[in-house]
């Protein structure tokens, strides 16, 4: 399984990155020993996003580092999941096959990002993007959790598969002058002992959205 940590905070990107506890980052990295990286972004309203991901490579001919960026830099994806149906699967048929019909040698996250990029290019507002993304995710057969940043509309999306087969925890913190939201695949003992309260992201809906504007 791959690991995801995302911190959204109304401050500079540098401060937001430093606010991710080292123990939590290290716990995330143990889930994905093949590659680790952090992407930082600050919106026009000074909302900072630090998106950290670690990779346990199971698909593709080589390791695909995460977070994955689209060629134009608009989309940034952290993906922990597997898309079961792929090209050459003898159980696929026109009635049941997923709209994401993958070559088994390709990376799930990369191929999903290509589909999402095409979808977003035809959407005009954040609400339309969310509805369309929900439709794409509904067609996926397999477990997943994800965080997707759209730097053009300045919306951040996250969610889990409807059965909740991949973990994604959420913690909201509201302090004077410092409101933050943290998402992570797993919480470490040190962070929990410090009094942080995490809950599982509700998987009864496929997608959640944060407006960074």
């Amino acid at each position: 399984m791959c690991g995801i940590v995302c911190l959204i905070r109304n401050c500079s990107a540098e401060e937001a990155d430093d606010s991710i506890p080292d123990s939590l980052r290290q716990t995330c990295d143990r889930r994905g020993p093949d590659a680790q990286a952090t992407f930082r972004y600050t919106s026009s309203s000074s909302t900072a996003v630090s998106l950290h991901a670690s990779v346990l490579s199971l698909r593709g001919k080589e390791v695909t580092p995460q977070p994955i960026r689209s060629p134009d830099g608009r989309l940034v994806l952290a993906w922990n999941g597997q898309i079961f149906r792929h090209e050459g699967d003898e159980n696929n048929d026109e009635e049941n096959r997923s709209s994401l019909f993958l070559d088994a040698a390709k990376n799930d996250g990369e191929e999903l990002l290509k589909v999402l990029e095409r979808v977003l290019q035809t959407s005009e507002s954040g609400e339309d993007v969310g509805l369309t993304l929900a439709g794409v995710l509904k067609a996926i057969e397999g477990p997943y959790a994800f965080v997707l940043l759209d730097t053009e509309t300045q919306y951040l999306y996250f969610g889990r598969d409807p059965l909740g087969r991949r973990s994604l925890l959420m913690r909201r913190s509201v302090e004077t002058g410092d409101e933050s939201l943290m998402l992570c695949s797993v919480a470490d003992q040190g962070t929990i002992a410090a009094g942080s309260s995490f809950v599982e992201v509700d998987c009864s809906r496929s997608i959640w959205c944060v407006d960074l504007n």
Side-chain angles (χ1 to χ4, degrees):
M1 296 183 185
C2 299
I4 299 171
V5 179
C6 181
L7 179 63
I8 306 168
R9 188 179 178 189
N10 188 22
C11 63
S12 70
E14 290 77 13
E15 289 175 338
D17 182 60
D18 291 341
S19 296
I20 297 177
D22 288 339
S23 58
L24 184 58
R25 190 189 302 273
Q26 291 166 5
T27 299
C28 172
D29 290 349
R30 284 195 288 271
R31 293 172 62 92
D34 296 322
Q36 305 86 32
T38 301
F39 177 83
R40 290 181 287 180
Y41 170 80
T42 303
S43 73
S44 58
S45 63
S46 298
T47 299
V49 176
S50 290
L51 180 57
H52 182 79
S54 62
V55 176
L56 174 61
S57 184
L58 298 175
R59 292 280 182 89
K61 295 181 179 180
E62 57 187 26
V63 176
T64 300
Q66 293 197 48
I68 309 170
R69 298 186 66 183
S70 60
D72 62 1
R74 174 182 175 178
L75 303 179
V76 184
L77 173 67
W79 171 258
N80 174 25
Q82 288 181 285
I83 300 174
F84 291 148
R85 292 187 180 275
H86 54 78
E87 188 174 354
D89 186 345
E90 61 182 9
N91 295 319
N92 273 309
D93 55 58
E94 291 300 322
E95 181 179 356
N96 297 316
R97 63 186 269 185
S98 167
S99 63
L100 294 175
F101 196 45
L102 303 183
D103 184 324
K106 295 182 179 179
N107 178 269
D108 296 40
E110 281 189 318
E111 294 304 302
L112 175 61
L113 190 60
K114 291 177 183 178
V115 173
L116 296 180
E117 186 176 17
R118 291 196 297 268
V119 169
L120 294 179
Q121 288 173 348
T122 63
S123 301
E124 297 180 355
S125 70
E127 182 178 3
D128 292 336
V129 170
L131 291 173
T132 309
L133 280 177
V136 172
L137 293 170
K138 185 178 180 180
I140 291 178
E141 294 192 22
Y144 64 82
F146 75 95
V147 175
L148 174 73
L149 172 65
D150 182 353
T151 62
E152 182 173 303
T153 62
Q154 300 190 104
Y155 279 79
L156 183 138
Y157 304 91
F158 61 94
R160 307 163 65 203
D161 70 85
L163 298 180
R165 290 168 290 180
R166 287 289 186 270
S167 64
L168 191 63
L169 306 175
M170 177 174 65
R171 184 197 71 186
R172 292 181 178 177
S173 176
V174 180
E175 301 174 2
T176 304
D178 182 12
E179 182 176 355
S180 66
L181 173 68
M182 180 178 285
L183 303 165
C184 59
S185 298
V186 61
D188 67 290
Q189 290 295 328
T191 305
I192 295 174
S196 299
S197 178
F198 288 92
V199 296
E200 284 274 12
V201 171
D202 186 357
C203 60
S204 63
R205 52 188 288 185
S206 61
I207 186 169
W208 297 85
C209 179
V210 177
D211 185 352
L212 304 175
N213 294 286

